[in-house]
Amino acid sequence: MKPFMDSDFLLQTDTAKKLYHDYAKQVPVLDYHCHLVPKEIAEDIHFKNMTELWLGADHYKWRVMRSNGVDERFITGDAPDEEKFHAFAKALPNCIGNPMYHWCHLELQRYFGINETLSEKNWKEIYDKCNEILQKPEMSAKNLIRMSGVTLVCTTDDPIDDLHYHEQIAADSDFDVQVLPAWRPDLAMSPEKEGFVSYIQKLGKVSGVTITDFTTLKEALVKRLDYFAERGCVVSDHGLDYAEFCPLSEEEENALVKKSLAGETLTEEELKQYRTMCMLFLGAEYKKRNWVMQLHYGAKRENNELVFKSAGANAGIDCINPKGFVAEVADLNREGNLPKTIIYSLNPTDNALIGTMIGCFQGDGVRGKIQQGAAWWFNDHKYGMEEHMKSLASLSLLGNFVGMLTDSRSFISYPRHEYFRRILCNYIGNLVENGEYPEDYDLLGEIVKNISYYNAVNYFGFDLK
C-alpha cells in the first residue's frame, strides 16, 4: 500500500516520478487567471486565523459544508470563527475521492508543515498550530505568493476600476512578483442585471464619454481598454451564462442600447443580441492589442435563491448549463478579428466539442492560437483533469497546452498547480511506459516544463524579467 500523499503522490510509474521531480517541480508558477483581491496584495494583509484564510471566500469549501448538513450560520453566517473551522473539519473526512481532500492536505503540508490528516479528532490542535504560524511576519499575503514560487498573477478587474492597487503593487521594489490586471467586462454586458444603468453611467464618467447608444458605449470601452493596456493588461476574461450568436445591424445595435439605458426590460432574444454585439466588438479590440480572450461558459449561477439572498453571489450554488458559441468565434475569424482565445466549459461532455472546434481556427502563425482551457471548476479533480488531457491530446496538441490556473480567491491555493502537474506527469508517464511515446527525456522534459509554465509565458507574451 502506498503511503498517504507522500512525495510520489499520484505518480504511478518510474517515468512519472522522474518527469515530476526532475522537470515539472523545477519550474515556477504562473497564475494567469485568479480572483485574488489586489487591495489585499497591495496592503500585504495578514490573516487573523485559519478560518479567515481558508473559509473566508472559498465557495468550494462552503459547498462541502452544506453537503454535510452544516447550518448556513457556520458557513457564511455569524458563528464564531473557531466553530466554523470545527464544522469544516468534521465535513472534510467525507470528501473521499473529492479533490478538496487533497487540496486541503497539500496546503497544510506546504504552508504549515502539517502532515496529519484533519478530522474532528485533531481539529483544535491543527487550528491552534496554524493560527500560531499565521502570526509570523512571513505569512503575509505577498510572502504567501512568494513562497508558492509564483512569478506572475493576473487578477480579475472591472473596466471601471482605477487600478490604483495594481500601481501600488508595481511600485513596491521589494516585491518581485508581477501582479497585472485582467479585463472582466461582465457587468457592461449584462443589461438584465439590477443596477445596469447606474453602472453604465459610472463607466461613462470614468471614461469621459456620455453613453447614449452602442457607438458611445464602444467609445467608452475603448478608452478603458487603453487604460488597462497602459497598466500591463494583456488578457480579458468573460463569464458567459449563454452565448447564442445573434448579430445585428449598427442601427439595431444602437437602438438596443438605448432601450436598455431607458431601463426597459430586454427579451431573451434581445439579451442574446446584446451579448453578441459586445463580444464581436470586444473580440476585435483584443485582436488589435494582441490580448488573449478567455471565455468561461456553461455555468448556471445562483440557483438557490434563499442562499443567494443571504450570502450573495459566488456562494457555491452554481451548476452546469450546456450552451455554445461556435458561430461567434467563426464570425470573428471570418472578419480577421479573432484574437488568441482560451475556451473553458463547465460541462465535461464538451471536451470533444471544444477539442474539435479549436482545430478549425488555428493559424496566424501563432502556436496554439485557440486553446482549450484547463479543466475548470467542477472538473478540476483528478478524473476531470485526466479526461481533459486525454481528449485534448487525442484531438489537438497537448504539448501546446497553456496549463493550469488557480481561478481562486485564496492565497494558499497554489498547490493546485502541483496537483495538476502530478496528474499531467502521471498521464504522460503512462503513455511512455505503455510504449506509446519514446522514453526521450529531452523531449519529455521540455513538454512537461512547457505545459507547466513556459507555454503560458509565451502565449500571453508576459515580460518576465
Side-chain angles (χ1 to χ4, degrees):
M1 180 184 298
K2 293 186 66 174
F4 174 70
M5 290 184 66
D6 65 357
S7 62
D8 291 331
F9 174 55
L10 297 177
L11 306 173
Q12 298 173 322
T13 65
D14 290 340
T15 304
K17 294 171 186 176
K18 182 173 178 62
L19 290 176
Y20 177 73
H21 292 296
D22 292 357
Y23 299 99
K25 187 178 179 181
Q26 304 306 316
V27 295
V29 169
L30 193 152
D31 195 14
Y32 56 84
H33 173 65
C34 75
H35 296 278
L36 293 180
V37 180
K39 180 177 186 289
E40 295 179 346
I41 302 174
E43 296 178 352
D44 201 18
I45 65 167
H46 280 77
F47 295 89
K48 64 181 181 181
N49 58 43
M50 196 59 175
T51 300
E52 185 176 82
L53 174 64
W54 241 18
L55 304 178
D58 192 338
H59 57 76
Y60 282 90
K61 294 186 176 72
W62 297 348
R63 195 176 179 97
V64 165
M65 295 168 78
R66 290 193 192 106
S67 296
N68 206 49
V70 176
D71 188 272
E72 195 67 25
R73 178 171 175 262
F74 297 91
I75 304 172
T76 60
D78 60 358
D81 285 349
E82 186 171 295
E83 293 181 23
K84 288 182 176 180
F85 185 88
H86 184 196
F88 178 69
K90 285 196 291 185
L92 187 61
N94 291 317
C95 289
I96 183 169
N98 188 306
M100 180 58 65
Y101 198 77
H102 295 151
W103 293 345
C104 287
H105 288 101
L106 280 173
E107 291 166 9
L108 289 173
Q109 290 179 11
R110 300 296 177 260
Y111 297 97
F112 300 96
I114 294 173
N115 292 300
E116 302 169 60
T117 56
L118 177 63
S119 69
E120 188 170 13
K121 295 178 182 178
N122 60 2
W123 74 270
K124 186 65 165 64
E125 176 186 340
I126 288 179
Y127 185 68
D128 290 343
K129 182 175 180 179
C130 289
N131 289 346
E132 180 182 353
I133 292 172
L134 282 175
Q135 304 313 306
K136 297 179 179 180
E138 60 266 28
M139 297 300 283
S140 68
K142 288 181 179 178
N143 284 329
L144 288 170
I145 294 173
R146 280 194 190 99
M147 72 173 67
S148 303
V150 179
T151 59
L152 185 144
V153 170
C154 288
T155 56
T156 303
D157 307 277
D158 191 278
I160 68 173
D161 197 312
D162 64 11
L163 304 182
H164 75 278
Y165 288 115
H166 288 86
E167 294 173 346
Q168 185 177 329
I169 295 165
D172 182 358
S173 59
D174 293 328
F175 188 53
D176 58 359
V177 179
Q178 289 190 56
V179 179
L180 302 180
W183 169 272
R184 178 85 175 224
D186 289 4
L187 293 177
M189 295 175 58
S190 303
E192 79 283 7
K193 297 286 180 67
E194 185 178 350
F196 171 76
V197 174
S198 62
Y199 173 82
I200 295 299
Q201 290 171 345
K202 292 176 185 175
L203 176 62
K205 183 176 181 181
V206 299
S207 61
V209 176
T210 301
I211 301 173
T212 58
D213 55 16
F214 193 47
T215 299
T216 48
L217 174 58
K218 290 188 290 186
E219 182 183 347
L221 289 171
V222 165
K223 287 180 178 292
R224 298 309 294 171
L225 284 163
D226 291 341
Y227 184 88
F228 270 58
E230 289 165 1
R231 285 151 184 80
C233 182
V234 296
V235 59
S236 70
D237 180 51
H238 294 263
L240 303 175
D241 294 339
Y242 56 81
E244 285 87 344
F245 183 69
C246 303
L248 297 173
S249 68
E250 183 177 353
E251 182 180 355
E252 290 169 327
E253 290 173 345
N254 282 323
L256 191 56
V257 172
K258 287 178 180 178
K259 179 178 180 179
S260 65
L261 292 178
E264 297 182 45
T265 301
L266 302 189
T267 66
E268 285 298 316
E269 184 68 15
E270 287 173 329
L271 287 173
K272 296 171 188 175
Q273 293 167 344
Y274 185 94
R275 299 236 204 291
T276 297
M277 67 193 201
C278 286
M279 286 304 307
L280 292 177
F281 163 71
L282 288 170
E285 290 296 320
Y286 303 152
K287 178 68 183 296
K288 290 178 187 177
R289 294 167 171 77
N290 196 31
W291 282 18
V292 173
M293 177 170 70
Q294 296 182 99
L295 304 176
H296 291 78
Y297 82 99
K300 189 173 186 303
R301 301 179 184 275
E302 323 305 354
N303 293 286
N304 187 322
E305 186 176 350
L306 295 177
V307 172
F308 177 67
K309 286 181 177 178
S310 66
N314 301 313
I317 48 175
D318 316 292
C319 69
I320 291 169
N321 182 27
K323 297 286 182 179
F325 48 84
V326 177
E328 180 180 288
V329 171
D331 195 74
L332 282 168
N333 189 70
R334 185 182 306 112
E335 300 298 323
N337 292 329
L338 182 62
K340 291 182 285 187
T341 301
I342 306 176
I343 301 171
Y344 309 78
S345 174
L346 201 59
N347 191 336
T349 63
D350 284 350
N351 280 338
L353 182 155
I354 297 174
T356 55
M357 182 191 125
I358 63 177
C360 300
F361 303 103
Q362 304 291 11
D364 274 358
V366 179
R367 182 180 171 189
K369 177 183 176 180
I370 313 300
Q371 292 270 337
Q372 180 174 4
W376 168 50
W377 199 348
F378 297 129
N379 303 306
D380 57 4
H381 44 76
K382 179 175 177 284
Y383 175 75
M385 289 185 190
E386 289 173 342
E387 291 304 303
H388 171 276
M389 291 173 194
K390 291 175 186 176
S391 180
L392 182 58
S394 299
L395 299 170
S396 188
L397 299 181
L398 181 62
N400 290 346
F401 178 34
V402 293
M404 189 58 174
L405 53 139
T406 62
D407 193 25
S408 171
R409 292 167 176 79
S410 171
F411 283 91
I412 61 169
S413 63
Y414 289 106
R416 295 182 193 180
H417 282 259
E418 175 184 339
Y419 193 64
F420 165 82
R421 292 177 186 187
R422 288 176 178 272
I423 293 167
L424 171 69
C425 291
N426 193 64
Y427 170 67
I428 294 177
N430 283 333
L431 293 178
V432 175
E433 296 270 346
N434 200 39
E436 297 178 55
Y437 198 88
E439 190 182 14
D440 181 337
Y441 287 101
D442 290 336
L443 283 174
L444 292 166
E446 182 178 7
I447 289 171
V448 166
K449 290 193 295 184
N450 283 345
I451 295 172
S452 297
Y453 182 71
Y454 292 107
N455 282 348
V457 173
N458 295 325
Y459 182 75
F460 288 92
F462 293 129
D463 181 18
L464 291 170
K465 308 284 191 298

